[in-house]
Amino acid sequence: MLRPHSFLFLVALIVAGFDASTALAERDPIRLTHGPMLGMSTDHSVKVWGRTSDPGSFRVQYGTAANALDHISSAAQTRIENDNTGVVELTDLQADTQYYYQIVVNERPHGLPGSFRTLPSADDSRNPEHNPDGLFNFRFQIGSCANQNPLNGIGHRTPTYETLNRDWADKVHFHVMNGDWLYEEEREYPVEAWRLTQGIKQVPSVVDVMPTIVGVWENYKLYLERGVEMAAWHRNMPSLFTFDDHELINDIWGAAETGKRHRRAVFRDIGTQAWYDYLGWANPVEHSQPVHFGKAEMKAGSDLLVDTHTDFTALPLDRMLSLHVHWGTKEAGTDDMQYDNDEGHKNSYVYSIREVVDAHTLRLHMPAKVDGNVSYSIGRRSYGKFRVANCEFFLLDTRGDRGMHDITQRDKPDVSILGLPQREWLLRSMQESDADFFFVISTVPFMIPHSGAGGYEVSGNKEEAWTGFFHERELLIDAWEKMGKKVFVMTGDLHNSFAIKVTDNVWEFCCGPHNSVNHVPKLDESDRPATGKFKFGPRECDIRWSSYILDDLPRLQRLYPHFCVVQINNVFNMPKKLGGKRLVAYPHPQVIFQYYDGRTGELDYAEAISLDR
């Protein structure tokens, strides 16, 4: 890994007359540098991620005994355009079985070994008389906000992950990291330093078009290297990930607001591309079309964008997001308000695409300000769903297609946090599902405002939560009530945990922070109570429990991490003979939400919700 002292060494090499071809000739053999990490498992599969020092491949040896890894995977290819990251899927696994594995590079073991357990299967759980649907019990852990910077959280040690590794690695089936796994560091990392580290003569097109992506890549590598306990957790726990603002850039608002000009808004696709390289590969996605990026020509007064290297007629633009012309400064992805200025490219805006004029030409919603070449991207949709037993999970994207909120008019009917395509997909999918329980994974809070950050807010219009989008939030609640099923909105972003009853069928469970400094409800959450009735906007809710920080605590004394374990009780075991297996389905299955202190592992609160009688 290239850190500042290494960069100075490389600068010295350049001064001494060495070039990239010399560096390439003298490189060590390819090796694993980061990973492994596990993606979401099923009853027969799991994904394994790794990063290598150079483009190449790795395989995974695995088996049901740590000393007998008698299976070998196909090769995962690592590519320079993905910062030498790659993924392989292990298939044909046995259900509800503990596996052990090791990454292999050049036929030799690399990195630390890991283990995981596959999900139970319906076939193995089914009993014709007592459990005809093949239901089973399972647990998952969910949390958010794992800042490693000692100025903004607990720091490098990550005690929550120490607790998780000690108490839960062999007890939960999978993990959902609900945003803010990453916080901005290394974001101004020089492209030339990255190129020299890779030993290449020419950067790939993704770096040529989006040079600030290398800073995001370095940010991920730093967190995996420094967060030892977190890396261990991901090595042994199949996980899914959502991205919130810090994976992109803090307080990114209005990334889909046509005509918006702000460096944070137009960093969306750069951060998203890096997220897929390092975390997003683990997720099911509804649309597989990747971010499109390129260089184009724009002329002042013309609404045409011309890219002679792209065939726009071949892109599924109806399944993609808005077009961004990039800010273009080296600080574009840095979380520092001093760079929230007007120094970006004069054509850098959020554009809607009005027409595909021909294979190489798009008509945009407004004309360019100046003549010249621009770097641009067209975003991808990053939401998806998966099913476990009688539970349907929906992983939402609350940043990519988000309009611009207005805290002076929070109920604007034409402003969306999801974007219309995602919202329609969510409601249609829920209406068509026969699941008993719905888990809606939203990175931002549902009922509690996030309207401040202890004086660190970017502007007076700060609002991260659904409380800046009352019209859309109420539309969803009304639709869910009509479905008559239990809907659990699992949220993050606010650095506190809370359990909230919204209606008889709709609940919010905010889970975290894993490692970040706590917010102060009086300052950051509109002075909501620790428990009790709370109303912000058109709907009152009942805060059943929460973590709560008094406003007289200095910032770096606000270090109270939490995580949540969710247990789904569908069946109980009632064999005819002790030690056997015969799963009997409950008439009214239960979901138990258990909040734990991240430092001690002690249970702080639990809420059980079952199907209606």
Side-chain angles (χ1 to χ4, degrees):
M1 287 303 91
L2 187 66
R3 300 294 167 236
H5 64 280
S6 303
F7 178 54
L8 293 175
F9 174 71
L10 287 172
V11 171
L13 287 180
I14 296 170
V15 172
F18 289 87
D19 62 18
S21 60
T22 304
L24 183 60
E26 297 176 354
R27 291 180 72 80
D28 291 334
I30 185 174
R31 67 190 187 282
L32 187 76
T33 64
H34 299 82
M37 290 196 288
L38 296 171
M40 174 63 183
S41 67
T42 68
D43 59 1
H44 63 273
S45 67
V46 73
K47 292 180 180 178
V48 182
W49 174 96
R51 182 187 182 273
T52 55
S53 56
D54 292 282
S57 65
F58 65 81
R59 295 179 184 268
V60 177
Q61 287 184 324
Y62 60 99
T64 56
N67 59 353
L69 306 182
D70 49 7
H71 292 74
I72 186 76
S73 74
S74 59
Q77 300 299 318
T78 64
R79 296 178 172 85
I80 190 66
E81 58 266 30
N82 305 113
D83 199 30
N84 296 337
T85 63
V87 181
V88 65
E89 186 170 17
L90 310 186
T91 57
D92 298 323
L93 304 179
Q94 300 174 42
D96 199 18
T97 300
Q98 188 76 24
Y99 280 89
Y100 302 85
Y101 75 99
Q102 171 81 64
I103 280 186
V104 175
V105 181
N106 288 335
E107 300 183 355
R108 296 185 62 82
H110 278 239
L112 292 172
S115 67
F116 61 91
R117 190 170 195 87
T118 51
L119 284 169
S121 72
D123 288 343
D124 292 345
S125 304
R126 186 174 288 111
N127 179 282
E129 180 181 0
H130 298 290
N131 187 23
D133 293 330
L135 297 180
F136 51 83
N137 301 335
F138 66 96
R139 293 190 188 103
F140 68 94
Q141 186 270 325
I142 184 167
S144 62
C145 305
N147 198 335
Q148 293 182 23
N149 189 331
L151 298 178
N152 292 296
I154 294 170
H156 304 169
R157 182 178 168 184
T158 62
T160 293
Y161 288 96
E162 294 177 10
T163 303
L164 287 170
N165 287 322
R166 183 193 69 208
D167 296 345
W168 292 101
D170 59 349
K171 293 186 179 74
V172 300
H173 290 89
F174 61 92
H175 161 65
V176 179
M177 183 62 193
N178 195 16
D180 293 343
W181 185 96
L182 194 71
Y183 283 71
E184 301 87 339
E185 298 184 57
E186 305 275 343
R187 290 298 183 97
E188 296 177 47
Y189 196 84
V191 170
E192 183 65 1
W194 179 85
R195 182 186 72 81
L196 289 167
T197 304
Q198 309 311 312
I200 57 177
K201 290 185 176 181
Q202 185 174 355
V203 300
S205 60
V206 65
V207 175
D208 184 43
V209 174
M210 303 188 292
T212 47
I213 196 173
V214 303
V216 190
W217 284 339
E218 293 301 314
N219 197 169
Y220 279 107
K221 284 180 275 197
L222 175 64
Y223 265 50
L224 282 170
E225 294 162 16
R226 200 168 59 187
V228 174
E229 292 288 340
M230 183 173 71
W233 175 251
H234 291 303
R235 188 168 65 248
N236 296 293
M237 181 55 57
S239 299
L240 301 110
F241 304 88
T242 55
F243 62 76
D244 197 39
D245 54 342
H246 290 287
E247 282 84 7
L248 309 181
I249 183 172
N250 185 34
D251 291 350
I252 179 172
W253 305 326
E257 185 73 20
T258 298
K260 184 172 178 60
R261 175 173 171 81
H262 199 286
R263 73 172 178 99
R264 297 178 188 251
V266 296
F267 198 77
R268 176 195 66 194
D269 299 336
I270 301 170
T272 301
Q273 179 66 43
W275 178 78
Y276 274 99
D277 293 332
Y278 275 84
L279 299 179
W281 54 269
N283 285 18
V285 289
E286 200 69 14
H287 300 289
S288 59
Q289 174 62 38
V291 171
H292 171 77
F293 52 88
K295 292 190 174 182
E297 183 179 4
M298 301 179 78
K299 293 186 177 180
S302 171
D303 59 2
L304 300 180
L305 178 144
V306 180
D307 179 357
T308 57
H309 294 95
T310 293
D311 181 359
F312 291 115
T313 65
L315 289 178
L317 296 175
D318 60 327
R319 299 195 297 275
M320 300 178 72
L321 300 179
S322 50
L323 183 146
H324 289 176
V325 170
H326 298 164
W327 199 246
T329 65
K330 68 182 179 66
E331 304 91 1
T334 303
D335 182 21
D336 190 329
M337 286 184 288
Q338 69 173 307
Y339 300 124
D340 292 333
N341 49 42
D342 198 42
E343 294 180 4
H345 195 289
K346 296 307 177 186
N347 290 335
S348 181
Y349 288 87
V350 177
Y351 294 88
S352 63
I353 299 171
R354 293 294 170 84
E355 179 188 3
V356 179
V357 177
D358 58 42
H360 305 303
T361 308
L362 295 177
R363 188 180 306 281
L364 306 179
H365 81 280
M366 72 176 194
K369 303 297 183 184
V370 296
D371 291 348
N373 293 322
V374 298
S375 292
Y376 76 96
S377 57
I378 306 173
R380 69 174 294 175
R381 301 195 186 280
S382 298
Y383 50 85
K385 60 187 171 83
F386 65 98
R387 176 80 173 253
V388 181
N390 56 342
C391 301
E392 195 98 43
F393 294 78
F394 300 90
L395 298 164
L396 302 185
D397 171 9
T398 64
R399 297 291 177 176
D401 209 12
R402 178 182 181 133
M404 188 62 206
H405 63 270
D406 181 355
I407 63 171
T408 68
Q409 189 179 350
R410 295 173 179 268
D411 59 352
K412 281 186 178 180
D414 57 343
V415 179
S416 173
I417 200 170
L418 298 178
L420 184 59
Q422 182 179 193
R423 188 176 77 204
E424 291 182 340
W425 162 82
L426 174 64
L427 291 177
R428 182 176 63 253
S429 298
M430 296 175 78
Q431 288 162 353
E432 293 172 352
S433 174
D434 64 353
D436 290 327
F437 301 109
F438 293 132
F439 292 87
V440 178
I441 316 296
S442 161
T443 58
V444 295
F446 201 58
M447 300 303 295
I448 304 296
H450 184 181
S451 52
Y456 288 82
E457 62 270 16
V458 172
S459 75
N461 191 38
K462 181 179 175 71
E463 181 56 89
E464 305 297 316
W466 287 84
T467 46
F469 303 83
F470 282 143
H471 178 81
E472 184 169 53
R473 188 191 72 178
E474 294 302 304
L475 183 154
L476 290 177
I477 293 173
D478 290 344
W480 294 338
E481 277 294 287
K482 291 176 183 177
M483 292 178 196
K485 295 189 178 182
K486 301 301 181 187
V487 178
F488 308 123
V489 187
M490 311 299 295
T491 62
D493 189 60
L494 269 178
H495 299 173
N496 277 306
S497 287
F498 40 80
I500 296 179
K501 184 177 182 180
V502 182
T503 70
D504 287 342
N505 288 322
V506 180
W507 295 70
E508 177 182 4
F509 294 95
C510 189
C511 308
H514 272 181
N515 209 59
S516 302
V517 65
N518 295 86
H519 287 130
V520 178
K522 187 176 181 64
L523 302 175
D524 306 321
E525 303 171 22
S526 293
D527 201 18
R528 54 97 178 166
T531 59
K533 298 297 179 67
F534 176 70
K535 186 176 182 180
F536 187 90
R539 186 181 294 271
E540 186 177 67
C541 62
D542 181 6
I543 302 174
R544 312 273 281 204
W545 170 87
S546 73
S547 60
Y548 194 89
I549 306 297
L550 295 176
D551 62 350
D552 60 354
L553 269 66
R555 179 175 178 82
L556 292 183
Q557 290 299 314
R558 303 182 340 231
L559 304 174
Y560 293 88
H562 281 84
F563 63 91
C564 184
V565 173
V566 184
Q567 180 171 319
I568 292 82
N569 285 342
N570 283 317
V571 297
F572 59 94
N573 191 25
M574 186 56 57
K576 291 184 177 181
K577 184 177 179 180
L578 286 174
K581 178 180 177 181
R582 183 176 59 164
L583 300 183
V584 180
Y586 283 112
H588 304 92
Q590 316 105 40
V591 181
I592 307 172
F593 299 84
Q594 303 163 87
Y595 285 93
Y596 292 88
D597 183 297
R599 292 181 183 273
T600 67
E602 292 294 320
L603 177 67
D604 278 352
Y605 182 76
E607 182 88 43
I609 302 166
S610 65
L611 292 187
D612 293 337
R613 270 54 176 168

